[in-house]
Amino acid sequence: MSNSRDQALAVRASGGDVEAFRRLVRANSGLVYRVALRMLGHRDAQDASQEVWVKVWRNIENFRGDSAFSTWLYRITVNTCLSVRRKESRRAQREYGGEELPFLPEPRGGDADPEAAALGAQQREEIQAALGHVRAEHRAALVLRHMEGLSYAEIAEVLEVPDGTAKGWVSRGRAAMLVALAAESAE
């Protein structure tokens, strides 16, 4: 769906048009789930996606159209995923006495993604596990850049940071992921 069409639907939804909101959800649910899946893993992606849409509905009247609807939606999705990861981290610290445990999400299944088709199951598991070792903000930037194809300027807008910070977070995320992959292959 085109960005201008999403903008128009968002304006209608902000006025309480449930049908317009339903069309926004239908057109953009794949984007939300894909980002949640890559940031959180299979176990939490569905719940996070639903939480995103609840937040969008509650806050649609705040969408001013200053940026593209997709940028606003990415921002809500990334912030929701970061919140879920923080909650999970706090829960793990309570349950395991504060020991630092890496987040290891379940590997993705057949999600009809061309990227998934190109990678073997073992590689996908290794990459997903390595992403679990990347700091949440860096992981968000890395997912948006290399898996969603956003520019650094778009990442900066979504994450509400300067362009240089977005570039740095992608770079640090990539480095942390490579270190995790190297450590796994050494075992």
Side-chain angles (χ1 to χ4, degrees):
M1 187 167 282
S2 73
N3 193 36
S4 61
R5 182 150 185 167
D6 280 353
Q7 300 283 97
L9 288 172
V11 168
R12 288 180 34 211
S14 70
D17 185 337
V18 175
E19 176 61 22
F21 182 74
R22 186 185 64 75
R23 290 174 64 191
L24 277 173
V25 171
R26 187 181 318 143
N28 294 287
S29 61
L31 174 150
V32 170
Y33 184 74
R34 191 175 59 241
V35 172
L37 180 66
R38 289 172 172 158
M39 288 188 67
L40 300 172
H42 179 70
R43 184 174 53 111
D44 295 323
Q46 187 65 42
D47 289 341
S49 296
Q50 290 174 1
E51 188 175 334
V52 166
W53 289 113
V54 168
K55 287 179 179 181
V56 168
W57 177 250
R58 287 183 182 155
N59 295 292
I60 193 81
E61 71 275 357
N62 297 327
F63 177 69
R64 297 182 308 267
D66 296 340
S67 61
F69 177 77
S70 61
T71 300
W72 188 71
L73 185 58
Y74 271 123
R75 184 177 301 135
I76 291 172
T77 304
V78 167
N79 287 340
T80 300
C81 291
L82 291 173
S83 176
V84 167
R85 292 219 36 203
R86 281 190 295 273
K87 287 177 192 172
E88 180 67 24
S89 175
R90 285 191 301 269
R91 185 190 62 76
Q93 286 179 344
R94 283 194 311 274
E95 288 182 11
Y96 301 105
E99 293 177 27
E100 185 66 33
L101 294 177
F103 177 78
L104 296 173
E106 295 176 21
R108 290 189 320 227
D111 55 1
D113 184 348
E115 170 191 11
L119 294 172
Q122 183 177 0
Q123 286 177 314
R124 284 194 315 271
E125 289 177 21
E126 290 171 2
I127 289 170
Q128 194 67 27
L131 274 172
H133 294 282
V134 177
R135 187 173 149 193
E137 294 82 8
H138 301 168
R139 181 177 182 167
L142 191 63
V143 165
L144 292 173
R145 177 70 179 160
H146 293 291
M147 296 177 179
E148 291 299 311
L150 271 62
S151 69
Y152 290 114
E154 290 169 322
I155 295 167
E157 188 175 356
V158 167
L159 299 178
E160 299 178 311
V161 297
D163 286 1
T165 301
K167 287 178 184 177
W169 283 1
V170 169
S171 178
R172 286 185 204 99
R174 195 179 308 120
M177 191 170 124
L178 292 173
V179 167
L181 285 170
E184 271 188 38
S185 67
E187 291 177 0

